[in-house]
């Protein structure tokens, strides 16, 4: 468990660098995938709800500090995401959740919640209605993150069925 | 009693932890403007920007090729415009001298490179590789060859955070260059809008929007964007005017910081005026 924590925090650093340098080039109309969210969902499904919540808090704090964004917004949304991902955690279905298309579904659901939550802090006065907010700032970035985590699932499922 | 607490902890520890961490996050949210928090943030992003600037050098050739192609096209267009503008410039200089107006277009420019970007729908910002060492100060405007990009909000020794126009926190006075009407521009999470513009104001699609003389944040006449349309509300007396920015925020690589510090005196006078009213 300690090793998993250590690896997750170690992976957080290069993924944050990628998120801040490469991902902006892949974004379209402010819709960008979230690499830290994929990592958070992966480790929460492996380690459980409580550890996911704590990891989410650490990821959010780190991202807020180094990205120059509002300190506390990613902390809040990632903590909540870690906690909610924990509801998909099942000790007997870890492999099934992580290495099948179920993983994409979980990233999609949690990504939507994460994006909507973080956008609330930045656009409290927005004139957009709730449907637009969920679609444009929630579902689309989550779908992008979900698609980006596809190679991970394909790679692992090949290893399992080989 | 001890047994009760230990039972309570083991039964609800996930909920206790999430509530504590969420409350902590919300408390931190309210402390963003505290000088201590700003110092911690400046130290953190300054340290981390060393790594992001390393990777941005690797990514740069791919983005630069696209930028060069665009710049060549723009260069050709600008070359045609320069000749006619040169003539107007000479006339303008002469007229300004006669009117004894202060020229605001001669602030020194400090060159910098974007080392990381935060692609968010509401909190757009960049980190650039110029800081206190290059005499960058909080409040200085940031531009590129296309137009206004944002304003410096935090400075460390070698790096600075730039709050872009695509950030809800940035609101400033702008002017329609043709009709000379002023308004306040802001990002609504989706597009740049000038809010509550009276319907009687002459704002047409394609009009150039520049920073206003009334702006306390920016020097006047920096290009911002063009009017793209308006959200016409038949029942009200105001419109929201949508502005398309000149700058391409996703592809920007090289920027210039204008060595202009907002006037504290002007800000104080305005605050006094508000207080007195």
């Amino acid at each position: 468990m300690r090793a998993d924590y250590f690896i997750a925090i170690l992976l957080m650093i290069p993924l944050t660098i990628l998120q801040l340098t490469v991902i902006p080039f892949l974004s379209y109309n402010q819709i960008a995938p979230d690499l830290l969210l994929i990592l958070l969902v992966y480790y929460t499904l492996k380690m459980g709800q409580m550890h996911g919540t704590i990891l989410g808090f650490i990821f959010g704090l780190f991202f807020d500090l180094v990205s120059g964004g509002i300190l506390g917004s990613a902390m809040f949304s990632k903590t909540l995401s870690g906690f909610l991902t924990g509801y998909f955690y099942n000790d007997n279905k870890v492999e099934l959740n992580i290495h099948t298309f179920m993983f994409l579904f979980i990233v999609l659901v949690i990504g939507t919640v994460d994006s909507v939550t973080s956008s609330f802090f930045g656009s409290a006065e927005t004139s957009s209605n709730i449907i637009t907010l969920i679609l444009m700032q929630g579902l689309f970035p989550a779908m992008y993150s979900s698609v980006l985590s596809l190679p991970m699932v394909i790679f692992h499922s090949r290893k399992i069925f080989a | 009693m001890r047994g009760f607490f230990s039972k309570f902890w083991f039964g609800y520890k996930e909920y206790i932890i999430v509530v504590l961490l969420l409350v902590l996050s919300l408390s931190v949210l309210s402390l963003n403007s505290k000088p201590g928090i700003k110092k911690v943030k400046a130290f953190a992003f300054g340290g981390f920007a060393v790594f992001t600037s390393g990777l941005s050098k690797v990514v740069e050739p791919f983005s630069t090729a696209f930028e060069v192609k665009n710049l060549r096209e723009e260069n050709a267009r600008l070359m045609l415009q320069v000749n006619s503008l040169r003539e107007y410039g000479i006339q303008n200089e002469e007229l300004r001298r006669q009117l004894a107006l202060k020229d605001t277009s001669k602030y020194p420019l400090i060159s910098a490179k974007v080392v990381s970007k935060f692609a968010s729908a509401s909190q757009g910002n960049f980190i650039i590789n110029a800081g206190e060492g290059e005499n960058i100060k909080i409040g200085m405007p940031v531009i590129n060859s296309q137009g206004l990009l944002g304003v410096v909000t935090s400075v460390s020794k070698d790096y600075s955070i730039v709050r872009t126009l695509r950030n809800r926190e940035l609101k400033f006075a702008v002017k329609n260059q043709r009709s000379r009407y002023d308004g306040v521009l802001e990002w609504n999470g989706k597009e740049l809008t000038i809010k509550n513009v009276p319907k009687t104001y002459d704002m047409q699609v394609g009009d150039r929007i520049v920073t206003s003389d009334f702006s306390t944040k920016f020097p006047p006449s920096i290009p911002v964007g063009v009017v793209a349309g308006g959200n016409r509300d038949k029942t009200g007396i105001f419109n929201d005017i949508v502005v398309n920015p000149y700058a391409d925020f996703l592809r920007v690589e090289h920027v210039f910081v204008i060595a202009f510090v907002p006037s504290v005196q002007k800000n104080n006078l305005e605050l006094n005026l508000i207080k007195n009213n």
Side-chain angles (χ1 to χ4, degrees):
Chain A
M1 189 68 77
R2 269 188 188 175
D4 276 340
Y5 256 113
F6 182 70
I7 294 166
I9 291 169
L10 213 64
L11 283 172
M12 169 187 78
I13 297 166
L15 286 185
T16 307
I17 297 175
L18 284 176
Q19 185 73 38
L20 294 171
T21 51
V22 180
I23 294 298
F25 293 110
L26 302 178
S27 71
Y28 175 74
N29 210 8
Q30 289 103 49
I31 296 167
D34 190 340
L35 299 180
L36 281 182
L37 182 89
I38 299 171
L39 185 71
L40 176 64
V41 170
Y42 181 84
Y43 275 98
T44 308
L45 292 175
K46 223 174 158 188
M47 292 158 66
Q49 191 172 43
M50 196 177 74
H51 302 292
T53 309
I54 296 167
L55 262 186
F57 180 80
I58 296 169
F59 285 5
L61 172 67
F62 183 73
F63 189 74
D64 278 341
L65 280 173
V66 301
S67 69
I70 302 171
L71 191 63
S73 62
M75 267 162 87
F76 188 93
S77 60
K78 291 282 183 291
T79 305
L80 192 65
S81 300
F83 178 73
L84 294 177
T85 310
Y87 283 107
F88 292 95
Y89 171 75
N90 186 328
D91 212 7
N92 303 315
K93 291 180 179 174
V94 172
E95 289 292 312
L96 185 78
N97 281 339
I98 292 176
H99 300 146
T100 63
F101 286 97
M102 184 66 184
F103 183 70
L104 303 189
F105 173 72
I106 298 170
V107 170
L108 181 72
V109 173
I110 301 300
T112 307
V113 176
D114 181 80
S115 307
V116 170
T117 315
S118 54
S119 68
F120 263 123
F121 294 108
S123 40
E125 286 175 65
T126 191
S127 52
S128 313
N129 61 41
I130 192 80
I131 305 292
T132 317
L133 186 79
I134 291 171
L135 270 178
M136 289 300 294
Q137 295 181 21
L139 195 60
F140 290 160
M143 280 166 78
Y144 206 161
S145 300
S146 189
V147 168
L148 210 72
S149 52
L150 188 66
M152 211 167 98
V153 173
I154 293 170
F155 175 72
H156 276 292
S157 59
R158 272 189 187 167
K159 262 173 71 177
I160 290 168
F161 296 115
Chain B
M1 196 66 172
R2 207 172 168 182
F4 170 76
F5 278 119
S6 109
K7 227 180 194 180
F8 186 74
W9 167 252
F10 283 108
Y12 298 101
K13 61 183 174 191
E14 284 88 0
Y15 298 98
I16 297 168
I17 285 172
V18 77
V19 168
L20 280 176
L21 295 180
L22 291 179
V23 168
L24 186 62
S25 307
L26 288 174
S27 318
V28 171
L29 261 171
S30 63
L31 298 173
N32 262 280
S33 53
K34 298 264 178 198
I37 296 284
K38 279 186 176 174
K39 263 186 194 168
V40 172
K41 273 174 82 176
F43 179 75
F45 84 74
F48 197 71
V50 176
F51 300 105
T52 49
S53 65
L55 189 67
S56 68
K57 275 179 196 157
V58 179
V59 177
E60 192 180 19
F62 302 102
S63 58
T64 309
F66 182 85
E67 208 179 349
V68 165
K69 186 178 168 281
N70 278 353
L71 285 174
R72 276 190 189 135
E73 281 177 25
E74 199 188 340
N75 199 29
R77 259 186 290 115
L78 287 174
M79 191 256 304
L80 296 170
Q81 280 182 20
V82 160
N83 276 337
S84 58
L85 289 175
R86 196 169 283 147
E87 190 61 34
Y88 293 133
I90 294 163
Q91 286 173 13
N92 188 36
E93 281 288 318
E94 183 56 37
L95 289 168
R96 273 176 174 268
R97 236 193 322 272
Q98 284 171 20
L99 291 166
L101 284 175
K102 192 187 168 194
D103 189 355
T104 53
S105 65
K106 293 207 166 52
Y107 293 104
L109 296 176
I110 303 159
S111 155
K113 205 166 119 339
V114 176
V115 295
S116 76
K117 290 172 197 162
F118 183 16
S120 155
S122 54
Q123 298 173 38
N125 60 44
F126 301 149
I127 293 177
I128 56 170
N129 68 348
E132 282 165 354
E134 285 79 18
N135 281 327
I136 305 277
K137 290 188 174 59
I138 291 173
M140 284 184 173
V142 181
I143 58 165
N144 72 352
S145 58
Q146 296 166 313
L148 184 67
L149 291 168
V151 64
V152 174
T153 53
S154 190
V155 184
S156 73
K157 193 169 163 269
D158 299 312
Y159 298 93
S160 307
I161 294 180
V162 178
R163 182 175 287 164
T164 70
L165 302 189
R166 289 183 169 184
N167 190 312
R168 286 202 55 86
E169 303 286 311
L170 184 61
K171 294 171 188 173
F172 59 98
V174 290
K175 179 174 68 182
N176 184 321
Q177 208 172 31
R178 183 185 57 82
S179 64
R180 320 304 286 173
Y181 283 120
D182 290 277
V184 176
L185 187 80
E186 64 175 75
W187 175 250
N188 68 3
K190 212 171 100 189
E191 52 206 3
L192 282 171
T193 53
I194 307 173
K195 288 224 162 188
N196 300 327
V197 177
K199 282 182 176 171
T200 50
Y201 277 22
D202 179 16
M203 293 272 190
Q204 288 173 14
V205 173
D207 280 356
R208 287 168 61 89
I209 300 295
V210 296
T211 51
S212 165
D213 302 278
F214 299 135
S215 175
T216 51
K217 288 191 176 91
F218 301 111
S221 301
I222 301 176
V224 176
V226 288
V227 173
N231 306 325
R232 291 198 175 273
D233 178 10
K234 281 178 187 170
T235 54
I237 55 167
F238 297 111
N239 271 338
D240 285 350
I241 303 294
V242 179
V243 175
N244 277 347
Y246 286 124
D248 184 352
F249 293 90
L250 289 175
R251 307 211 180 275
V252 63
E253 287 295 316
H254 299 277
V255 300
F256 296 99
V257 181
I258 304 177
F260 162 90
V261 180
S263 161
V264 178
Q265 210 178 351
K266 200 172 165 187
N267 273 342
N268 288 344
L269 278 171
E270 281 181 1
L271 279 175
N272 286 341
L273 194 71
I274 294 165
K275 275 180 202 165
N276 292 337
N277 287 335

PDB file of all heavy atoms in Angstrom, chain A residues 45-46 87-100 102-103 106:
ATOM      1  N   LEU A  45      -9.229   2.938  -7.479  1.00  0.00           N
ATOM      2  CA  LEU A  45      -9.827   1.628  -7.740  1.00  0.00           C
ATOM      3  C   LEU A  45      -8.924   0.495  -7.239  1.00  0.00           C
ATOM      4  O   LEU A  45      -9.365  -0.614  -7.007  1.00  0.00           O
ATOM      5  CB  LEU A  45     -10.096   1.457  -9.243  1.00  0.00           C
ATOM      6  CG  LEU A  45     -11.195   2.353  -9.827  1.00  0.00           C
ATOM      7  CD1 LEU A  45     -11.279   2.186 -11.326  1.00  0.00           C
ATOM      8  CD2 LEU A  45     -12.541   2.055  -9.186  1.00  0.00           C
ATOM      9  N   LYS A  46      -7.642   0.820  -7.094  1.00  0.00           N
ATOM     10  CA  LYS A  46      -6.681  -0.180  -6.609  1.00  0.00           C
ATOM     11  C   LYS A  46      -6.582  -0.179  -5.088  1.00  0.00           C
ATOM     12  O   LYS A  46      -6.390  -1.221  -4.477  1.00  0.00           O
ATOM     13  CB  LYS A  46      -5.305   0.184  -7.194  1.00  0.00           C
ATOM     14  CG  LYS A  46      -4.517  -0.993  -7.704  1.00  0.00           C
ATOM     15  CD  LYS A  46      -3.268  -0.516  -8.376  1.00  0.00           C
ATOM     16  CE  LYS A  46      -2.257  -1.649  -8.377  1.00  0.00           C
ATOM     17  NZ  LYS A  46      -0.956  -1.182  -8.840  1.00  0.00           N
ATOM     18  N   TYR A  87     -16.587   4.603  -4.394  1.00  0.00           N
ATOM     19  CA  TYR A  87     -17.835   3.821  -4.436  1.00  0.00           C
ATOM     20  C   TYR A  87     -17.778   2.732  -5.504  1.00  0.00           C
ATOM     21  O   TYR A  87     -18.563   1.791  -5.479  1.00  0.00           O
ATOM     22  CB  TYR A  87     -19.035   4.738  -4.673  1.00  0.00           C
ATOM     23  CG  TYR A  87     -19.437   5.489  -3.426  1.00  0.00           C
ATOM     24  CD1 TYR A  87     -19.189   6.844  -3.299  1.00  0.00           C
ATOM     25  CD2 TYR A  87     -20.024   4.820  -2.350  1.00  0.00           C
ATOM     26  CE1 TYR A  87     -19.530   7.528  -2.153  1.00  0.00           C
ATOM     27  CE2 TYR A  87     -20.366   5.495  -1.194  1.00  0.00           C
ATOM     28  CZ  TYR A  87     -20.116   6.847  -1.098  1.00  0.00           C
ATOM     29  OH  TYR A  87     -20.451   7.504   0.057  1.00  0.00           O
ATOM     30  N   PHE A  88     -16.866   2.865  -6.463  1.00  0.00           N
ATOM     31  CA  PHE A  88     -16.705   1.823  -7.488  1.00  0.00           C
ATOM     32  C   PHE A  88     -15.691   0.767  -7.054  1.00  0.00           C
ATOM     33  O   PHE A  88     -15.503  -0.222  -7.734  1.00  0.00           O
ATOM     34  CB  PHE A  88     -16.222   2.441  -8.816  1.00  0.00           C
ATOM     35  CG  PHE A  88     -17.232   3.316  -9.483  1.00  0.00           C
ATOM     36  CD1 PHE A  88     -17.234   4.690  -9.304  1.00  0.00           C
ATOM     37  CD2 PHE A  88     -18.217   2.760 -10.306  1.00  0.00           C
ATOM     38  CE1 PHE A  88     -18.165   5.508  -9.916  1.00  0.00           C
ATOM     39  CE2 PHE A  88     -19.152   3.572 -10.921  1.00  0.00           C
ATOM     40  CZ  PHE A  88     -19.128   4.947 -10.738  1.00  0.00           C
ATOM     41  N   TYR A  89     -15.020   1.031  -5.922  1.00  0.00           N
ATOM     42  CA  TYR A  89     -13.978   0.112  -5.453  1.00  0.00           C
ATOM     43  C   TYR A  89     -14.603  -1.178  -4.930  1.00  0.00           C
ATOM     44  O   TYR A  89     -15.553  -1.143  -4.158  1.00  0.00           O
ATOM     45  CB  TYR A  89     -13.152   0.781  -4.355  1.00  0.00           C
ATOM     46  CG  TYR A  89     -12.195  -0.142  -3.649  1.00  0.00           C
ATOM     47  CD1 TYR A  89     -11.019  -0.554  -4.271  1.00  0.00           C
ATOM     48  CD2 TYR A  89     -12.471  -0.606  -2.368  1.00  0.00           C
ATOM     49  CE1 TYR A  89     -10.134  -1.398  -3.623  1.00  0.00           C
ATOM     50  CE2 TYR A  89     -11.593  -1.449  -1.711  1.00  0.00           C
ATOM     51  CZ  TYR A  89     -10.422  -1.838  -2.347  1.00  0.00           C
ATOM     52  OH  TYR A  89      -9.562  -2.685  -1.701  1.00  0.00           O
ATOM     53  N   ASN A  90     -14.060  -2.283  -5.393  1.00  0.00           N
ATOM     54  CA  ASN A  90     -14.482  -3.584  -4.878  1.00  0.00           C
ATOM     55  C   ASN A  90     -13.236  -4.455  -4.830  1.00  0.00           C
ATOM     56  O   ASN A  90     -12.578  -4.669  -5.855  1.00  0.00           O
ATOM     57  CB  ASN A  90     -15.536  -4.193  -5.808  1.00  0.00           C
ATOM     58  CG  ASN A  90     -16.129  -5.465  -5.258  1.00  0.00           C
ATOM     59  OD1 ASN A  90     -15.456  -6.226  -4.555  1.00  0.00           O
ATOM     60  ND2 ASN A  90     -17.394  -5.704  -5.583  1.00  0.00           N
ATOM     61  N   ASP A  91     -12.952  -4.930  -3.628  1.00  0.00           N
ATOM     62  CA  ASP A  91     -11.729  -5.701  -3.409  1.00  0.00           C
ATOM     63  C   ASP A  91     -11.631  -6.916  -4.349  1.00  0.00           C
ATOM     64  O   ASP A  91     -10.545  -7.311  -4.758  1.00  0.00           O
ATOM     65  CB  ASP A  91     -11.705  -6.161  -1.940  1.00  0.00           C
ATOM     66  CG  ASP A  91     -10.295  -6.241  -1.418  1.00  0.00           C
ATOM     67  OD1 ASP A  91      -9.371  -5.821  -2.156  1.00  0.00           O
ATOM     68  OD2 ASP A  91     -10.094  -6.713  -0.284  1.00  0.00           O
ATOM     69  N   ASN A  92     -12.802  -7.485  -4.688  1.00  0.00           N
ATOM     70  CA  ASN A  92     -12.794  -8.696  -5.533  1.00  0.00           C
ATOM     71  C   ASN A  92     -12.810  -8.369  -7.027  1.00  0.00           C
ATOM     72  O   ASN A  92     -12.716  -9.270  -7.852  1.00  0.00           O
ATOM     73  CB  ASN A  92     -14.019  -9.569  -5.207  1.00  0.00           C
ATOM     74  CG  ASN A  92     -14.048  -9.942  -3.750  1.00  0.00           C
ATOM     75  OD1 ASN A  92     -13.028 -10.334  -3.187  1.00  0.00           O
ATOM     76  ND2 ASN A  92     -15.207  -9.791  -3.127  1.00  0.00           N
ATOM     77  N   LYS A  93     -13.011  -7.104  -7.364  1.00  0.00           N
ATOM     78  CA  LYS A  93     -13.140  -6.750  -8.793  1.00  0.00           C
ATOM     79  C   LYS A  93     -12.120  -5.702  -9.227  1.00  0.00           C
ATOM     80  O   LYS A  93     -12.374  -4.943 -10.168  1.00  0.00           O
ATOM     81  CB  LYS A  93     -14.550  -6.211  -9.066  1.00  0.00           C
ATOM     82  CG  LYS A  93     -15.634  -7.259  -8.960  1.00  0.00           C
ATOM     83  CD  LYS A  93     -16.973  -6.618  -9.256  1.00  0.00           C
ATOM     84  CE  LYS A  93     -18.086  -7.634  -9.184  1.00  0.00           C
ATOM     85  NZ  LYS A  93     -19.398  -7.013  -9.318  1.00  0.00           N
ATOM     86  N   VAL A  94     -10.986  -5.670  -8.533  1.00  0.00           N
ATOM     87  CA  VAL A  94      -9.976  -4.656  -8.853  1.00  0.00           C
ATOM     88  C   VAL A  94      -9.525  -4.782 -10.312  1.00  0.00           C
ATOM     89  O   VAL A  94      -9.498  -3.809 -11.064  1.00  0.00           O
ATOM     90  CB  VAL A  94      -8.769  -4.746  -7.887  1.00  0.00           C
ATOM     91  CG1 VAL A  94      -7.634  -3.838  -8.332  1.00  0.00           C
ATOM     92  CG2 VAL A  94      -9.207  -4.356  -6.475  1.00  0.00           C
ATOM     93  N   GLU A  95      -9.199  -6.009 -10.716  1.00  0.00           N
ATOM     94  CA  GLU A  95      -8.717  -6.250 -12.092  1.00  0.00           C
ATOM     95  C   GLU A  95      -9.790  -5.871 -13.116  1.00  0.00           C
ATOM     96  O   GLU A  95      -9.493  -5.254 -14.125  1.00  0.00           O
ATOM     97  CB  GLU A  95      -8.348  -7.733 -12.265  1.00  0.00           C
ATOM     98  CG  GLU A  95      -7.089  -8.145 -11.529  1.00  0.00           C
ATOM     99  CD  GLU A  95      -5.835  -7.502 -12.111  1.00  0.00           C
ATOM    100  OE1 GLU A  95      -5.684  -7.542 -13.343  1.00  0.00           O
ATOM    101  OE2 GLU A  95      -5.037  -6.929 -11.338  1.00  0.00           O
ATOM    102  N   LEU A  96     -11.016  -6.283 -12.808  1.00  0.00           N
ATOM    103  CA  LEU A  96     -12.130  -6.005 -13.730  1.00  0.00           C
ATOM    104  C   LEU A  96     -12.335  -4.499 -13.888  1.00  0.00           C
ATOM    105  O   LEU A  96     -12.547  -4.019 -15.003  1.00  0.00           O
ATOM    106  CB  LEU A  96     -13.409  -6.649 -13.188  1.00  0.00           C
ATOM    107  CG  LEU A  96     -14.636  -6.548 -14.085  1.00  0.00           C
ATOM    108  CD1 LEU A  96     -14.573  -7.570 -15.207  1.00  0.00           C
ATOM    109  CD2 LEU A  96     -15.910  -6.716 -13.276  1.00  0.00           C
ATOM    110  N   ASN A  97     -12.249  -3.778 -12.792  1.00  0.00           N
ATOM    111  CA  ASN A  97     -12.481  -2.332 -12.838  1.00  0.00           C
ATOM    112  C   ASN A  97     -11.354  -1.578 -13.545  1.00  0.00           C
ATOM    113  O   ASN A  97     -11.598  -0.597 -14.229  1.00  0.00           O
ATOM    114  CB  ASN A  97     -12.623  -1.767 -11.421  1.00  0.00           C
ATOM    115  CG  ASN A  97     -13.992  -2.025 -10.848  1.00  0.00           C
ATOM    116  OD1 ASN A  97     -14.946  -2.259 -11.584  1.00  0.00           O
ATOM    117  ND2 ASN A  97     -14.088  -2.019  -9.537  1.00  0.00           N
ATOM    118  N   ILE A  98     -10.132  -2.045 -13.359  1.00  0.00           N
ATOM    119  CA  ILE A  98      -8.986  -1.296 -13.881  1.00  0.00           C
ATOM    120  C   ILE A  98      -8.651  -1.685 -15.317  1.00  0.00           C
ATOM    121  O   ILE A  98      -8.290  -0.841 -16.124  1.00  0.00           O
ATOM    122  CB  ILE A  98      -7.754  -1.494 -12.970  1.00  0.00           C
ATOM    123  CG1 ILE A  98      -8.008  -0.827 -11.621  1.00  0.00           C
ATOM    124  CG2 ILE A  98      -6.502  -0.898 -13.595  1.00  0.00           C
ATOM    125  CD1 ILE A  98      -6.913  -1.042 -10.625  1.00  0.00           C
ATOM    126  N   HIS A  99      -8.787  -2.950 -15.639  1.00  0.00           N
ATOM    127  CA  HIS A  99      -8.274  -3.440 -16.918  1.00  0.00           C
ATOM    128  C   HIS A  99      -9.343  -3.727 -17.969  1.00  0.00           C
ATOM    129  O   HIS A  99      -9.059  -4.376 -18.969  1.00  0.00           O
ATOM    130  CB  HIS A  99      -7.404  -4.680 -16.694  1.00  0.00           C
ATOM    131  CG  HIS A  99      -6.226  -4.395 -15.818  1.00  0.00           C
ATOM    132  ND1 HIS A  99      -5.709  -5.323 -14.947  1.00  0.00           N
ATOM    133  CD2 HIS A  99      -5.492  -3.275 -15.659  1.00  0.00           C
ATOM    134  CE1 HIS A  99      -4.692  -4.776 -14.303  1.00  0.00           C
ATOM    135  NE2 HIS A  99      -4.550  -3.543 -14.709  1.00  0.00           N
ATOM    136  N   THR A 100     -10.554  -3.300 -17.726  1.00  0.00           N
ATOM    137  CA  THR A 100     -11.596  -3.494 -18.753  1.00  0.00           C
ATOM    138  C   THR A 100     -12.205  -2.121 -19.091  1.00  0.00           C
ATOM    139  O   THR A 100     -11.826  -1.113 -18.517  1.00  0.00           O
ATOM    140  CB  THR A 100     -12.722  -4.419 -18.240  1.00  0.00           C
ATOM    141  OG1 THR A 100     -13.347  -3.775 -17.139  1.00  0.00           O
ATOM    142  CG2 THR A 100     -12.207  -5.778 -17.833  1.00  0.00           C
ATOM    143  N   MET A 102     -14.780  -0.960 -18.176  1.00  0.00           N
ATOM    144  CA  MET A 102     -15.407  -0.380 -16.983  1.00  0.00           C
ATOM    145  C   MET A 102     -14.607   0.833 -16.506  1.00  0.00           C
ATOM    146  O   MET A 102     -15.173   1.814 -16.018  1.00  0.00           O
ATOM    147  CB  MET A 102     -15.452  -1.459 -15.876  1.00  0.00           C
ATOM    148  CG  MET A 102     -16.164  -1.041 -14.623  1.00  0.00           C
ATOM    149  SD  MET A 102     -17.909  -0.793 -14.942  1.00  0.00           S
ATOM    150  CE  MET A 102     -18.457  -0.210 -13.357  1.00  0.00           C
ATOM    151  N   PHE A 103     -13.288   0.752 -16.683  1.00  0.00           N
ATOM    152  CA  PHE A 103     -12.405   1.839 -16.264  1.00  0.00           C
ATOM    153  C   PHE A 103     -12.757   3.139 -17.007  1.00  0.00           C
ATOM    154  O   PHE A 103     -12.805   4.213 -16.422  1.00  0.00           O
ATOM    155  CB  PHE A 103     -10.945   1.446 -16.520  1.00  0.00           C
ATOM    156  CG  PHE A 103      -9.949   2.467 -16.056  1.00  0.00           C
ATOM    157  CD1 PHE A 103      -9.735   2.690 -14.707  1.00  0.00           C
ATOM    158  CD2 PHE A 103      -9.221   3.224 -16.963  1.00  0.00           C
ATOM    159  CE1 PHE A 103      -8.823   3.642 -14.275  1.00  0.00           C
ATOM    160  CE2 PHE A 103      -8.309   4.180 -16.541  1.00  0.00           C
ATOM    161  CZ  PHE A 103      -8.113   4.381 -15.191  1.00  0.00           C
ATOM    162  N   ILE A 106     -15.885   4.609 -15.589  1.00  0.00           N
ATOM    163  CA  ILE A 106     -15.668   5.269 -14.289  1.00  0.00           C
ATOM    164  C   ILE A 106     -14.974   6.623 -14.505  1.00  0.00           C
ATOM    165  O   ILE A 106     -15.350   7.624 -13.889  1.00  0.00           O
ATOM    166  CB  ILE A 106     -14.851   4.359 -13.326  1.00  0.00           C
ATOM    167  CG1 ILE A 106     -15.635   3.075 -13.052  1.00  0.00           C
ATOM    168  CG2 ILE A 106     -14.541   5.079 -12.018  1.00  0.00           C
ATOM    169  CD1 ILE A 106     -14.862   1.991 -12.332  1.00  0.00           C
TER     170      ILE A 106
END
